[in-house]
Amino acid sequence: MTRSVIDPITRIEGHLRVEMEVTNGKVSDAWVSGGCFRGMEMVVENRTPEDAAQIVQRICGVCPVSHAHSSAIAAEKAYGIKISNNARIIRNLLEGAQFLHSHILWFYNLAALDYVNPLNALKADPADAYDLAQAAGTSMNSDFVALKERLANFADNGQLSIFSGNWFDAEDGTAYQLPPELDLICTAHYLEALTMQAKASQISAIIGGKMPHVMTLVPGGTAFVPTDQKLDELKALADEIYDWVESTMIPDTLAIAPYYIDALNWGKGCGRYVAWGVFEGPGDYASYTEQMANRYLPMGVIDDKLNLSDVQENLITEYMGRSWYKGDATYTSPYFVTEPEYTEYNVEDRYTWVKCPAYDGKPYEAGGLSRVLAAYKRNVPFVVEQVDGLLEALGAPGQIGVAQSTLGRTAVRQIETLYIAGLMKDWVAELIEALKSGDSEYFREPSTITGAGTGFWEAPRGALYHSESIKDGKIEGYQIIIPTTWNLAPINESGEHGPMEQALIGNPVGDIEKPINALRTVHSFDPCTACAVHITEPATGKSFETVTSPWGVK
């Protein structure tokens, strides 16, 4: 038996263990284990909904706005509040800024190093890099000559930090395929991305008072009141981010993709998708379902035949039988239960803190791919045009199914990034016009402080669910299903693996000690975890272990 332990897999958040069995050069079985119990549902009990909107932001430092938003929506549904138009626009801007920060961070600073080798850029001819960037239509804001010199000095001093990440390269050097000039271009954009994600967070801080963990998103609307100066700042930042995203992210994706085109052939997962929708549209809607379907990125449940339907809350369940919680019951929304009970790690029994959510009894994937597919199926014009263009560029015109892959999941999220960047410009303009018309309403008081509601929303990583019951202004019960819970779900009561586990099965493993394709698949989901990966190959008796620092250095 061959066992490879990589602890941790870096460039993600939290705690994750992935154990894979490899047969004949491919993953034949996989188990994903979340190694950290949070229990936030228990923390907010007996608190006010206003408290909850602040407390649940501490679930994550990258997507706190989404948790506050979903929590606030749940309270507003319980209270019967429809927020004002100004609050809608401002909350969209706040959420959009967080999405831009997260997407830029994920693509360049987390996932890209599975494809880009900065040390290979030392072999690049900067003049050829400029020619390649021009041909690819990607941005040339950086000085490639100066960057190569900087990289050379960096390499010479031996302090490579995250850029030693090509330790995951295969023995024959085939895991990283880009030519040196493209590695140089993408390394430049990696560094630019650090600045651009900070500018996105600056928008969040202007509106939210600080970032992370904003202060102004509250049940009933927003506590942010824009001034002329702040509107000018928001417009300038939104314009700058849009220009960079448009000139960089999709061109880079299309430049990188041909070198890893085989990644369209694996990493599909369960082939079913949930998206609750995000960014509220204008107008009044007859039902919550209609409201969700008319969000800028709309709600959609997509089955394994890619048929679209509306969400039905009573079809959402959570199974406990393979997770470290009491009992083996399956609970139906919104009547979930959180009673932790750790036993031991055993892939034949219980092996994770992650619960097992399902829709209509089946595992469903959440995330950027789910949202883009829902928008595509609902004929959102920008998304349809961009997805069709991407499919054609990948050599698969009209074949939406190729997006169901490691490369597809990675690529389509840049379409969403560009869409949101454009919407940010529109929302700033819309807010300015609303204020010019004399609209000054930002917050609405509740008429009752007893009720129950569910906040169907999206975080950057996918479908987000906060549900709460309130009596006399205090929370009696609270439940959360985060996107990564959907994606890292363990085996369900029918014996079916969760989405990431299914996506890993079939991945080619060229080097048992360095399973780079599995890493690419894990990162394509952008899990909110940090990981240890275990690989077993029953055909051999070999034992191997690699321990890494938090920066991926041997």
Side-chain angles (χ1 to χ4, degrees), residues 448-464:
T448 179
I449 54 173
T450 296
T454 298
F456 285 103
W457 197 241
E458 294 277 322
R461 293 170 179 85
L464 179 61

Side-chain angles (χ1 to χ4, degrees), residues 486-500:
W486 285 96
N487 293 333
L488 303 189
I491 297 169
N492 66 14
E493 58 266 61
S494 301
E496 186 175 2
H497 281 283
M500 185 182 288

Side-chain angles (χ1 to χ4, degrees), residues 85-336:
N85 187 54
N86 283 344
R88 176 190 66 83
I89 300 168
I90 289 167
R91 282 169 35 163
N92 279 350
L93 282 165
L94 185 58
E95 189 74 57
Q98 178 198 252
F99 264 70
L100 291 174
H101 166 267
S102 183
H103 284 13
I104 294 169
L105 166 70
W106 163 76
F107 182 59
Y108 283 103
N109 307 125
L110 302 182
L113 294 182
D114 294 339
Y115 305 92
V116 176
N117 181 357
L119 295 183
N120 192 47
L122 294 172
K123 304 174 185 176
D125 182 330
D128 290 343
Y130 281 113
D131 290 341
L132 178 58
Q134 186 173 20
T138 193
S139 63
M140 297 181 286
N141 299 321
S142 295
D143 184 334
F144 294 153
V145 175
L147 175 59
K148 183 180 177 181
E149 293 175 356
R150 182 179 174 189
L151 281 172
N153 293 333
F154 189 59
D156 288 343
N157 70 23
Q159 298 179 7
L160 299 179
S161 186
I162 55 174
F163 295 122
S164 66
N166 68 330
W167 68 273
F168 233 39
D169 204 351
E171 288 294 331
D172 59 1
T174 58
Y176 288 88
Q177 301 286 344
L178 300 186
E181 288 72 24
L182 189 50
D183 276 322
L184 183 62
I185 293 167
C186 292
T187 301
H189 295 164
Y190 172 102
L191 296 172
E192 291 174 15
L194 297 173
T195 298
M196 300 314 299
Q197 61 171 287
K199 289 182 181 293
S201 286
Q202 189 176 344
I203 293 177
S204 299
I206 290 170
I207 297 173
K210 65 186 184 71
M211 182 66 181
H213 310 140
V214 298
M215 304 299 294
T216 59
L217 203 165
V218 294
T222 178
F224 172 73
V225 178
T227 64
D228 290 345
Q229 179 182 347
K230 289 181 178 179
L231 288 170
D232 286 344
E233 292 172 354
L234 292 174
K235 184 179 186 306
L237 287 166
D239 288 346
E240 183 179 3
I241 294 169
Y242 175 83
D243 290 344
W244 186 83
V245 168
E246 182 187 39
S247 65
T248 305
M249 294 190 74
I250 290 180
D252 281 359
T253 300
L254 295 178
I256 292 169
Y259 295 94
Y260 300 98
I261 204 69
D262 61 321
L264 291 175
N265 300 318
W266 33 266
K268 176 180 178 179
C270 62
R272 295 180 289 264
Y273 306 91
V274 289
W276 306 147
V278 66
F279 306 120
E280 300 289 8
D284 295 318
Y285 301 104
S287 67
Y288 197 4
T289 298
E290 185 181 355
Q291 175 187 345
M292 294 162 66
N294 282 279
R295 288 169 171 166
Y296 285 92
L297 282 166
M299 165 269 291
V301 177
I302 300 173
D303 66 17
D304 53 7
K305 301 291 192 299
L306 295 184
N307 296 315
L308 176 75
S309 61
D310 292 337
V311 62
Q312 298 180 54
E313 184 174 358
N314 66 327
L315 295 181
I316 301 171
T317 58
E318 278 191 329
Y319 169 60
M320 303 296 175
R322 302 303 292 269
S323 308
W324 292 313
Y325 298 92
K326 290 182 180 179
D328 58 0
T330 298
Y331 298 98
T332 300
S333 175
Y335 306 107
F336 299 128

